[in-house]
Amino acid sequence: MKLSQRIANTKTSATIAMSMKARELRSQGKDIISLSAGEPDFETPEHIKEAAINSINSGNTKYTPVDGMVDLKESIIKKFKNENRLEYKLNQIIVSTGCKQSIYNLCQATLNKSDEVLIPAPYWVSYPEIVKLSDANPVFVETNSETDFKVSGKMISERITDKTRMILLNSPSNPSGFIYTEDELKDIGKVLKNYPDIIIASDDIYEHIIFNEKKFYNILNVCPELFNQTVVLNGVSKAYAMTGWRIGYAAGNSDIIGAMKKIQSQSTSCTCSIAQSAAKAALDNGKLKVDDMVKEYQARNEFLHKELNDIDGFNYKKPDGSFYAFVDVNGVIKKIKGVNDDFDLAEYFLLNADVAVVPGTAFGAKNHIRISFATSFENLKQAVERIKKVLV
Ligand code: GLU
């Protein structure tokens, strides 16, 4: 079958591919512990489920406005005001089928062929592919663990050309888990202020999953003058354990949001009405549950940090947030016969330890693996035991 050139140029999502592989092996009877996808293991809180059931029973089962139900958009506006000190109007918000679709819509709506998008590396696996699906080119800004995998204003300015049209920022970061401080964002903002045509896409999906009382800042908190060129992307999947409900949203200037709406009107029409009611309940009244989940992630983070760093050849700094351990595994790769890179190592763990992790190369950082700790303590303990066993 002849398929499009676009498909030939697009990689399947590595996080999703690894989770599928784990699921398939499990269905064949293998006892796989999957530490691949970043998907909270907690149940969606009860009051959110109830809101969805009430929504069905009250007949909210038809198309909604393309950009989302007005009462949900009002809750999103309230959330931005109360949690982020950001002010938006209804025509500056769009609700989509997950944060991923918001990012996709944004790229489709603003990028042209050969435009360049700056992506700090390591990055979430889908950013470059979504950029390429818009015919634009990802330009990676390489970082390393010495700067906690973060970029500075200087690093960005060195990569800006007359083709640069967007920069993707993600804090806390997937996969590294580090957050940008106020000063670091100011430093980046100072550079981007000089380029009003560069869109700042701020993916804040992990904003609530932060440890040790560190604080989350959006670049607009420190550089409000960037409002016109900044699009904030977020969703309910990670914070409220609602991955399957597929609700994300974007906020930004009404021209960009209007263009995203046009794209959405020709793709999904709108997102699920019932899930939108559930998302409203999450945003209006879900913070206490989030705090409980974050406490648990933090305890797992402490556990993994100690246990994994005890293994000879594993090395990583404790992340500030998110639910990922991004581990330098160079030392282990060198020790195992037949294992030459992080892909081989992930395969080795899958086949020999029945543990699924994602190779770092998929995130733009070779010789690393990403371990998701959005799974039970019991699973993490067993996974560590299994990994230790195949490394002796
Ligand atoms: N964002 C999550 C991850 O990085 C979920 C899977 C995906 O869409 O990539 O694992």
Side-chain angles (χ1 to χ4, degrees):
M1 181 63 68
K2 214 165 173 226
L3 300 176
S4 69
Q5 191 54 43
R6 185 173 302 117
I7 279 300
N9 292 342
T10 307
K11 289 185 207 143
T12 299
S13 160
T15 49
I16 293 189
M18 191 49 110
S19 316
M20 290 301 170
K21 199 160 179 179
R23 209 177 281 188
E24 189 187 309
L25 288 170
R26 246 192 241 131
S27 74
Q28 292 165 12
K30 280 224 156 205
D31 172 26
I32 303 289
I33 299 177
S34 182
L35 310 179
S36 46
E39 170 157 49
D41 53 311
F42 300 104
E43 270 294 307
T44 301
E46 217 46 50
H47 77 282
I48 299 176
K49 292 184 187 172
E50 266 162 34
I53 292 164
N54 292 340
S55 176
I56 297 175
N57 289 337
S58 68
N60 181 31
T61 53
K62 305 281 195 272
Y63 292 129
T64 74
V66 170
D67 49 343
M69 290 170 4
V70 171
D71 60 352
L72 170 57
K73 288 180 36 164
E74 279 164 351
S75 294
I76 292 170
I77 288 171
K78 231 183 273 163
K79 169 251 171 321
F80 275 124
K81 193 177 164 66
N82 297 340
E83 292 180 355
N84 307 106
R85 292 171 284 123
L86 298 176
E87 302 271 352
Y88 290 102
K89 301 195 186 77
L90 282 172
N91 66 351
Q92 295 173 320
I93 304 279
I94 182 168
V95 179
S96 302
T97 306
C99 187
K100 200 183 231 171
Q101 196 199 8
S102 290
I103 300 169
Y104 184 85
N105 286 343
L106 173 63
C107 291
Q108 291 288 320
T110 58
L111 299 176
N112 284 315
K113 194 168 166 47
S114 306
D115 282 347
E116 293 179 354
V117 176
L118 298 181
I119 304 179
Y123 46 76
W124 177 41
V125 294
S126 292
Y127 290 155
E129 302 310 308
I130 292 175
V131 167
K132 286 194 284 171
L133 283 167
S134 311
D135 296 330
N137 298 325
V139 172
F140 302 115
V141 187
E142 304 290 340
T143 69
N144 57 43
S145 66
E146 271 162 41
T147 58
D148 290 347
F149 300 104
K150 291 186 273 191
V151 291
S152 62
K154 183 169 180 289
M155 288 160 83
I156 290 171
S157 67
E158 283 168 0
R159 305 309 301 275
I160 291 177
T161 70
D162 53 6
K163 291 190 179 148
T164 309
R165 185 74 183 104
M166 186 185 289
I167 176 164
L168 274 153
L169 291 179
N170 176 217
S171 170
S173 145
N174 173 9
S176 77
F178 289 102
I179 57 175
Y180 283 87
T181 63
E182 265 181 302
D183 284 347
E184 287 163 347
L185 288 172
K186 252 186 222 161
D187 176 51
I188 293 172
K190 224 165 43 195
V191 171
L192 293 173
K193 232 181 342 204
N194 301 322
Y195 301 93
D197 290 336
I198 296 182
I199 294 168
I200 305 164
S202 176
D203 177 353
D204 297 357
I205 191 83
Y206 296 97
E207 71 169 321
H208 287 305
I209 306 171
I210 291 191
F211 312 133
N212 301 324
E213 323 228 312
K214 294 217 166 142
K215 275 195 81 174
F216 167 79
Y217 293 96
N218 180 284
I219 195 160
L220 289 178
N221 298 134
V222 295
C223 300
E225 63 276 30
L226 296 173
F227 185 86
N228 212 34
Q229 67 192 96
T230 301
V231 177
V232 181
L233 302 141
N234 209 325
V236 294
S237 296
K238 311 293 184 188
Y240 302 95
M242 292 178 70
T243 43
W245 301 77
R246 308 309 303 131
I247 297 288
Y249 50 89
N253 97 41
S254 56
D255 287 347
I256 298 179
I257 296 297
M260 291 167 70
K261 185 172 163 185
K262 199 171 185 183
I263 297 288
Q264 190 155 290
S265 78
Q266 295 294 12
S267 55
T268 49
S269 300
C270 61
T271 188
C272 168
S273 55
I274 300 147
Q276 288 190 56
S277 300
K280 180 175 163 51
L283 293 174
D284 287 350
N285 204 7
K287 190 68 177 60
L288 282 179
K289 297 280 178 197
V290 176
D291 293 345
D292 288 346
M293 293 189 245
V294 171
K295 263 185 221 141
E296 179 68 21
Y297 292 135
Q298 179 162 352
R300 295 173 189 174
N301 179 29
E302 299 290 333
F303 166 79
L304 261 194
H305 185 253
K306 181 179 175 321
E307 290 291 325
L308 292 183
N309 276 321
D310 272 356
I311 299 175
D312 187 31
F314 270 25
N315 185 14
Y316 83 102
K317 285 190 187 169
K318 207 185 280 179
D320 297 326
S322 82
F323 31 59
Y324 305 113
F326 198 55
V327 188
D328 181 334
V329 288
N330 202 18
V332 169
I333 290 171
K334 282 189 191 142
K335 282 198 307 200
I336 307 174
K337 216 171 141 213
V339 169
N340 297 313
D341 56 29
D342 49 282
F343 278 105
D344 287 349
L345 187 66
E347 178 101 347
Y348 180 81
F349 286 149
L350 186 64
L351 299 181
N352 298 289
D354 292 335
V355 174
V357 299
V358 189
T361 299
F363 303 90
K366 60 181 183 178
N367 296 335
H368 286 73
I369 54 170
R370 191 193 76 172
I371 293 180
S372 163
F373 48 87
T375 189
S376 70
F377 240 115
E378 201 35 56
N379 273 349
L380 288 178
K381 280 181 192 151
Q382 264 198 50
V384 168
E385 283 313 307
R386 290 184 189 184
I387 285 175
K388 279 183 179 164
K389 228 188 211 157
V390 297
L391 290 180
V392 283

